[in-house]
Amino acid sequence: MDLMVLSYNRNIFSRYLVSSVNMAAPLTGLFAHRDGSNSVTFAYTARVRPGLYVTTGLSYTDHPSLTYVKNQGSDLNWLINLVTVL
């Protein structure tokens, strides 16, 4: 039994959190953006043997942090997971 997954996730930051971070900006030097973050993940799960599964995939995130970071780019992660079922 194999499984492929393509998922999209959108995180929107709370306006109260963004407001709090921005009000503290004169002290911290950190400013929050209101855009949120978008992620796309592709993963594949394969059965290695009965009761043992391995998942691998790639995840891409645009705007990965709440605050503005100088020269911040996007985020690309390689995922791997080993699952045993007893």
Side-chain angles (χ1 to χ4, degrees), residues 19-57:
S19 173
S20 297
V21 170
N22 287 337
M23 282 192 315
L27 298 174
T28 64
L30 299 174
F31 294 91
H33 60 81
R34 300 174 192 267
D35 298 336
S37 106
N38 299 301
S39 296
V40 177
T41 301
F42 175 76
Y44 179 76
T45 301
R47 184 171 79 174
V48 177
R49 62 184 184 104
L52 183 63
Y53 300 86
V54 66
T55 301
T56 187

Side-chain angles (χ1 to χ4, degrees), residues 24-86:
L27 298 174
T28 64
L30 299 174
F31 294 91
H33 60 81
R34 300 174 192 267
D35 298 336
S37 106
N38 299 301
S39 296
V40 177
T41 301
F42 175 76
Y44 179 76
T45 301
R47 184 171 79 174
V48 177
R49 62 184 184 104
L52 183 63
Y53 300 86
V54 66
T55 301
T56 187
L58 284 174
S59 180
Y60 171 81
T61 304
D62 191 29
H63 301 295
S65 67
L66 168 66
T67 58
Y68 289 108
V69 178
K70 185 177 179 181
N71 298 324
Q72 177 184 3
S74 299
D75 187 37
L76 181 65
N77 291 303
W78 176 54
L79 315 166
I80 190 162
N81 187 24
L82 188 62
V83 176
T84 58
V85 179
L86 304 175

